[in-house]
Amino acid sequence: MHETPAAYFEDLWTSSADPWDHAGRWYETRKYDLTVATLPAARYHHVVEPACGVGLLTARLAARADRVTATDRFPRAVAEASARCASWPHVTVEVADLRDGPPAIPYDLAVLGEVLYYFDAGTTVDVVRRWHHGISPGGHLVLVHHRPAVAEHVLDGDDVHVIAGDLLGAPIVHVVDEQFRIDVFAR
């Protein structure tokens, strides 16, 4: 399997405005708070968050950035994230697929969370390489992924982070929890 079928996500987004209950689970709250806590810079000029889902992490990132561009390939996710971030005028939420690459405008932080395990190793390498390369010098790439095996995932979260480490070298921040892993790579 090269990627989790789009129908899997379409069915979930059709049945719920928050298919994984991100807003209601302590796991998610804790993971988002720790992700923001690992950021090495106090403030970022432009943060990009592909695969933003319902925008819970997006809202947290908005407090640390001059500008945030969040995207998701599913329109319902974009609608939910847009509504959640409506009070942040410097946040833009758009429909886009992270595999199409990063924005052409400069950014100094990219956060790829809970997404790369849906793809095979080759796609993961391509995505990590392109998004890391697009970061302004001195900026950061954050990866955060669920660790336990899930039937719908092509890779495990640890596999994603090993691939990124092989490609980018050792992370400058490395957090391993029983349930998730966070790695921050410098550019």
Side-chain angles (χ1 to χ4, degrees):
M1 177 167 55
H2 296 291
E3 69 180 66
T4 302
Y8 165 75
F9 301 102
E10 290 162 3
D11 289 346
L12 287 168
W13 283 111
T14 299
S15 65
S16 174
D18 186 1
W20 292 274
D21 190 27
H22 288 155
R25 293 174 49 212
W26 171 242
Y27 162 83
E28 299 294 344
T29 299
R30 183 170 172 268
K31 179 188 68 185
Y32 295 141
D33 289 345
L34 282 171
T35 299
V36 173
T38 66
L39 298 177
R43 189 138 190 99
Y44 290 89
H45 172 66
H46 184 198
V47 173
V48 292
E49 184 195 7
C52 67
V54 297
L56 290 159
L57 181 56
T58 312
R60 287 168 172 83
L61 294 168
R64 300 272 300 271
D66 298 330
R67 178 179 183 182
V68 177
T69 303
T71 61
D72 203 288
R73 69 179 179 157
F74 298 97
R76 186 154 188 196
V78 169
E80 293 298 320
S82 294
R84 176 164 279 110
C85 296
S87 65
W88 298 96
H90 65 292
V91 175
T92 303
V93 186
E94 305 168 338
V95 175
D97 190 319
L98 87 157
R99 293 170 294 177
D100 293 336
I105 55 177
Y107 57 95
D108 54 347
L109 175 64
V111 180
L112 282 65
E114 305 281 7
V115 65
L116 293 175
Y117 45 50
Y118 291 117
F119 307 111
D120 63 18
T123 301
T124 298
V125 165
D126 179 59
V127 168
V128 168
R129 180 180 289 128
R130 290 169 69 197
W131 284 86
H132 183 260
H133 180 74
I135 297 168
S136 300
H140 301 107
L141 171 69
V142 177
L143 300 181
V144 56
H145 290 87
H146 185 257
R147 295 184 64 219
V150 175
E152 293 80 15
H153 296 177
V154 177
L155 300 171
D156 290 341
D158 286 330
D159 296 336
V160 168
H161 289 248
V162 167
I163 289 167
D166 288 347
L167 186 64
L168 304 176
I172 61 170
V173 177
H174 176 70
V175 176
V176 179
D177 181 86
E178 181 181 332
Q179 294 295 311
F180 58 86
R181 181 170 172 172
I182 302 169
D183 285 320
V184 180
F185 297 92
R187 171 79 165 92

